[in-house]
Amino acid sequence: MTRTATYILFSVFLFTALMCTAPASAASDEAKLGIGLEQGYDYPYILEIDPYGLGAAAGLMQGDHIKQIGSVSMWFTDQAEKFFKHHLSKDKPFIVLIERNGALNQIVVDKSKASRVFPKKPGTDVYSNCYFAPEAACIQSITETMRPDGSSHSSQLRHYFSKIKSLMLLNEKQKAMAVFKDMERLFFNDPTLVIYNSWSVLESRKLLGLAPEKRHFDYIYKHTDKRISALAQKASMFAKFGQAGYADVFYNDTISLIEKKPDELKNKFMYIAPMLAKLGKQEQLLKYLQADNYSSTVRNSLLARYITELMKEQKHGQLKDALSMIFSVKRPWTNKDYVLFAKLFHKLHMNDAARNMAKRLEKLHEKNNDKPLFQPITARSLIEVNGALGRIHLAREYIDKHFKDQPLEMLMKLAVETANSRSSKVLAVQYYKDLPKLIDEAYALLKKLPAAQKKKLNRRIAVDFYEVLAAHLYSNPQYSELKAYTQYKDDYKGIIQTFIEARRFDDAMTWVNAAEQEFGKTYWYGDIYSALGALSPSREFSEKFKKYPSFQKNKIRYYNPHITRLYWNGYFEEALLNFNALNTAQKVYLTLNQARFVMPCKTCTI
């Protein structure tokens, strides 16, 4: 049997393993969750929910990102659907870890629980009446009278899109069509809307049962910047709406530009891969993989991103072919490529394949036994790959052997990779018993390091390590410590988001205060108040944050999720009090979300 044939058989096995990561048994009719899932950028999330179903009874809510089911990390919609159905087919309650408004929350799903019942109670005005005693007629009335939240054309277009979605949810197609005509009129009169608002126009047509027409293509094509990123995104957009012919025009322009400037593939593969996946351009992908003028890193990064996009789009047929390309397409491999695919297989729940990549890297390392200059390079990759697979003890062996005199940077790198091996850094710190000890050891060494030596550390590793520190509940990282490694405001973004995810709200506030003093205005206060509104541990805790000067400018970010939380948990009097304190626009926004109580859940599939 040839090597190529062996690779193809192995890759078919990988695809079979991917499709069988959870038992195929479906949930019984009595155990329906009543949720519709969709793939977010990084994680699946609840797009729609039946408020009277099992999911709502358990405490799941629309917009929740599914991070973990049982003890298994979730990265893709397929995985979440399979594991939900698998656990629902049993009689035991199971735990779902979700991220809500940026912070982690634990949900127990128990199919023996009764469905939720939401008593309808009168409010004090037309809006509170509609919110606390929702009926289709009042929601429709408020929908028809809603106004844009700004005067810009972009704000108006968003307003039209929101209105169309609400009217279609209420089965008012004629009225939605009338709004859409205004939307299109605005769109065709302002070419600047093409950049960011084309999708909402085409999505509105889809909701109305209409396909994009040539006039839409002509207008969007004319006013799209002829850069690779812009063209590729528009090709992906038209493919998403089933318009292969229009998509191909943007696609052909994109490919032509790459032929003129081949180096652009290196910098723009994150736009090219989704385009190739959505358009099904496997032959073009194969050409790039076989092109010797591209490095192995460029080719394998393109393939890995292509596979990820197919998984997001749930294109299983193409996924099988793409997986076979990993081994069947002849091209050079480096230590970085083994790490790349080990991480990808790990996310795809293809654990045997991930370990196989690590073994291949070990063999490459052994070949360098007589090459002392190369051994540390492959050792670094082995530390990275073992961290990415959660094998701290194996990675430590390479640190002790190759970096025992200066272990700090590798210890930090190992902590970062291990934390990223789970769908949440916070959950990773809790899952791996050796990770907290590793973090503490690295942090102690870091604090002892002289200032001159700190500046020699890899800047990206240092910033990423502080994100891991933020996930570790018993660490106390200081804003001032990071000054040696930071250059931009966004260097702090991931750290602050991790504080919020871990519900370390006091730490998040301290760091945002310091960041605003140094860099000026950020939008991170709103992120803190949004998470607080959804998941504050107590009223007293929330009251403390309401006293901060930043609260007044961000209070709607707090009250939106907070009132929803009160309502869903039966605290009607307190919810009404908070609702009445909102202005009219804010009341309208909350009331429109109550349509789920009066209309069937259209996308609920589990």
Side-chain angles (χ1 to χ4, degrees), residues 305-356:
R305 185 61 180 264
Y306 178 84
I307 291 171
T308 299
E309 291 300 324
L310 291 178
M311 191 67 182
K312 287 181 178 182
E313 297 290 321
Q314 298 179 293
K315 294 188 174 183
H316 301 135
Q318 294 179 47
L319 181 61
K320 180 178 178 180
D321 293 335
L323 287 169
S324 74
M325 287 184 181
I326 295 174
F327 303 103
S328 64
V329 179
K330 186 178 179 180
R331 63 195 187 281
W333 283 70
T334 68
N335 51 313
K336 291 182 179 179
D337 301 320
Y338 291 121
V339 173
L340 173 70
F341 284 110
K343 290 180 178 181
L344 176 64
F345 288 142
H346 180 70
K347 281 191 174 184
L348 294 176
H349 293 173
M350 299 166 69
N351 296 325
D352 288 341
R355 286 190 287 267
N356 179 272

Side-chain angles (χ1 to χ4, degrees), residues 153 157 160 180-194 197-198 201-202 205 211-223 238:
H153 285 179
L157 210 76
Y160 288 140
F180 180 67
K181 288 178 180 177
D182 291 336
M183 183 188 204
E184 279 205 323
R185 192 178 301 114
L186 175 63
F187 180 68
F188 282 110
N189 283 320
D190 185 353
T192 65
L193 295 172
V194 166
N197 299 100
S198 296
V201 173
L202 299 190
R205 290 188 67 85
E213 297 174 352
K214 189 175 185 301
R215 62 193 177 97
H216 297 97
F217 163 73
D218 289 340
Y219 182 71
I220 292 171
Y221 183 79
K222 179 181 178 181
H223 297 291
F238 275 104

Side-chain angles (χ1 to χ4, degrees), residues 294-533:
Y294 291 120
S295 69
S296 66
T297 301
V298 171
R299 287 186 260 179
N300 285 313
S301 295
L302 181 69
L303 178 56
R305 185 61 180 264
Y306 178 84
I307 291 171
T308 299
E309 291 300 324
L310 291 178
M311 191 67 182
K312 287 181 178 182
E313 297 290 321
Q314 298 179 293
K315 294 188 174 183
H316 301 135
Q318 294 179 47
L319 181 61
K320 180 178 178 180
D321 293 335
L323 287 169
S324 74
M325 287 184 181
I326 295 174
F327 303 103
S328 64
V329 179
K330 186 178 179 180
R331 63 195 187 281
W333 283 70
T334 68
N335 51 313
K336 291 182 179 179
D337 301 320
Y338 291 121
V339 173
L340 173 70
F341 284 110
K343 290 180 178 181
L344 176 64
F345 288 142
H346 180 70
K347 281 191 174 184
L348 294 176
H349 293 173
M350 299 166 69
N351 296 325
D352 288 341
R355 286 190 287 267
N356 179 272
M357 290 292 101
K359 286 179 181 176
R360 290 173 183 233
L361 188 55
E362 287 169 7
K363 290 179 180 178
L364 180 64
H365 181 67
E366 289 168 6
K367 285 182 180 179
N368 290 329
N369 274 337
D370 58 344
K371 300 175 183 177
L373 292 177
F374 288 98
Q375 278 257 302
I377 296 173
T378 49
R380 283 174 179 269
S381 296
L382 281 164
I383 292 165
E384 184 176 354
V385 79
N386 280 300
L389 301 182
R391 305 191 299 191
I392 296 174
H393 61 292
L394 292 178
R396 288 299 299 257
E397 291 177 9
Y398 291 101
I399 294 175
D400 294 341
K401 183 177 180 179
H402 296 281
F403 304 97
K404 63 179 180 180
D405 294 331
Q406 292 182 318
L408 174 57
E409 189 165 290
M410 287 299 98
L411 290 172
M412 293 165 66
K413 179 66 173 173
L414 176 56
V416 169
E417 294 298 337
T418 307
N420 287 334
S421 72
R422 306 290 293 182
S423 54
S424 159
K425 293 179 180 67
V426 179
L427 296 178
V429 174
Q430 298 173 11
Y431 182 80
Y432 298 113
K433 64 178 182 180
D434 292 334
L435 184 52
K437 291 186 287 185
L438 171 64
I439 297 169
D440 290 340
E441 178 185 355
Y443 189 36
L445 289 173
L446 179 62
K447 287 194 288 188
K448 291 179 182 177
L449 202 66
Q453 288 184 278
K454 284 182 179 180
K455 292 181 180 179
K456 295 179 182 179
L457 290 173
N458 181 289
R459 192 185 78 82
R460 189 66 257 168
I461 292 176
V463 174
D464 290 346
F465 179 68
Y466 270 80
E467 288 188 28
V468 179
L469 284 171
H472 184 16
L473 300 180
Y474 299 104
S475 71
N476 186 29
Q478 300 299 306
Y479 184 92
S480 58
E481 296 170 354
L482 203 58
K483 293 291 293 178
Y485 318 108
T486 53
Q487 298 176 356
Y488 312 104
K489 177 172 63 177
D490 281 351
D491 287 333
Y492 296 90
K493 183 177 180 180
I495 300 166
I496 291 164
Q497 287 177 336
T498 305
F499 275 134
I500 294 171
E501 185 180 335
R503 300 204 202 184
R504 299 178 64 174
F505 298 120
D506 286 305
D507 291 315
M509 185 64 74
T510 298
W511 279 61
V512 175
N513 287 340
E516 291 226 344
Q517 287 178 9
E518 182 176 0
F519 298 103
K521 184 179 180 181
T522 73
Y523 296 95
W524 302 331
Y525 283 126
D527 295 339
I528 296 173
Y529 289 114
S530 179
L532 268 172

Side-chain angles (χ1 to χ4, degrees), residues 113-126:
K113 272 191 172 184
S115 297
R116 293 292 298 269
V117 177
F118 290 87
K120 295 183 177 181
K121 294 190 174 184
T124 56
D125 61 15
V126 63

Side-chain angles (χ1 to χ4, degrees), residues 44-46 59-66 98-101 107:
Y45 73 99
I46 297 177
L60 292 169
M61 295 182 73
Q62 191 164 310
D64 286 347
H65 283 80
I66 311 297
I98 57 98
E99 181 191 285
R100 179 177 297 162
N101 293 64
I107 304 292

